[in-house]
Amino acid sequence: MVEVNCWVDSNGYYVCELKGKVCPNTYQRSITDFFIDVPSGYDINQAAMWVYITTYLAQGSCSQNFNLTVTMRVNQYECIFGAPCCWNFKAPFEVGNTIQSKFEVPPDTMDRCFIYGSNFIRFMAGPLGGLCFPWGVVCADIDAYVYFPPLPSVPPSPSPKPTPPINYLPYVVLLALILGGGSAVIAYLAKPRAPLVQVVSGKT
């Protein structure tokens, strides 16, 4: 049975809890997929996870203790060597005991793994082989929490200050003075004048 529950916590984080299990046997692997929807308004590149894995013998027999490798993939169907968004959790298994282990996936390792809208998270454990011979089933109960922090609010851009109106009066007065002075000079130069006569006095 697979359960997915999502909510917004008191810190504004979008949180999804994933509950399910993988139960590989001696000859077969086990896969469980979880599907979550991530709304806009949250930082998908700073997501983080806490994963709790509880191992125990479900059927058959196992004669030795070992680490059960549980692979987690985010939006990846298979994890080839070096593929991003894949993690291997080594969950201890002990004969006759139930062991819970806690694993952390820090936010700086999940960059570009999630997208807005539909996402899937796959957990897989491979066949046990000779660890549980001739036949056995080991289950790993999964209780995982995915955290998406809220995007920082962007303050509104300050509106530009209104430009004060330009007072053209001083420029008009100055232009009038300039033009007025020029007109006076032109009028002075254009005014008709009597010819200059040089009077020479003396006796002949």
Side-chain angles (χ1 to χ4, degrees), residues 29-85:
R29 69 178 184 174
S30 178
I31 295 175
T32 298
D33 288 339
F34 299 89
F35 295 89
I36 63 174
D37 286 324
V38 182
S40 59
Y42 298 91
D43 194 343
I44 55 177
N45 291 326
Q46 289 297 313
M49 291 187 68
W50 287 104
V51 181
Y52 299 85
I53 298 177
T54 303
T55 58
Y56 55 93
L57 180 65
Q59 298 180 40
S61 62
C62 292
S63 60
Q64 55 187 308
N65 302 332
F66 57 89
N67 287 330
L68 178 67
T69 299
V70 178
T71 302
M72 184 185 75
R73 312 160 184 182
V74 177
N75 292 325
Q76 300 280 342
Y77 286 101
E78 295 294 339
C79 281
I80 61 174
F81 181 75
C85 306

Side-chain angles (χ1 to χ4, degrees), residues 6-19:
C6 298
W7 66 91
V8 178
D9 69 7
S10 58
N11 294 316
Y13 280 65
Y14 186 69
V15 183
C16 289
E17 182 184 16
L18 318 175
K19 298 186 74 172

Side-chain angles (χ1 to χ4, degrees), residues 15-154:
V15 183
C16 289
E17 182 184 16
L18 318 175
K19 298 186 74 172
K21 64 179 59 183
V22 288
C23 295
N25 63 36
T26 302
Y27 306 105
Q28 293 179 324
R29 69 178 184 174
S30 178
I31 295 175
T32 298
D33 288 339
F34 299 89
F35 295 89
I36 63 174
D37 286 324
V38 182
S40 59
Y42 298 91
D43 194 343
I44 55 177
N45 291 326
Q46 289 297 313
M49 291 187 68
W50 287 104
V51 181
Y52 299 85
I53 298 177
T54 303
T55 58
Y56 55 93
L57 180 65
Q59 298 180 40
S61 62
C62 292
S63 60
Q64 55 187 308
N65 302 332
F66 57 89
N67 287 330
L68 178 67
T69 299
V70 178
T71 302
M72 184 185 75
R73 312 160 184 182
V74 177
N75 292 325
Q76 300 280 342
Y77 286 101
E78 295 294 339
C79 281
I80 61 174
F81 181 75
C85 306
C86 298
W87 294 265
N88 289 324
F89 304 127
K90 303 290 186 180
F93 167 80
E94 292 183 3
V95 177
N97 293 321
T98 298
I99 307 295
Q100 185 184 71
S101 305
K102 179 181 179 181
F103 304 91
E104 178 185 7
V105 182
D108 55 349
T109 61
M110 305 195 80
D111 185 26
R112 300 180 184 178
C113 291
F114 290 97
I115 61 174
Y116 291 116
S118 180
N119 297 262
F120 76 91
I121 301 174
R122 169 169 287 185
F123 286 85
M124 190 276 291
L128 303 174
L131 297 173
C132 297
F133 188 81
W135 185 79
V137 179
V138 172
C139 280
D141 289 351
I142 298 165
D143 188 11
Y145 296 83
V146 194
Y147 296 86
F148 299 92
L151 286 170
S153 57
V154 179

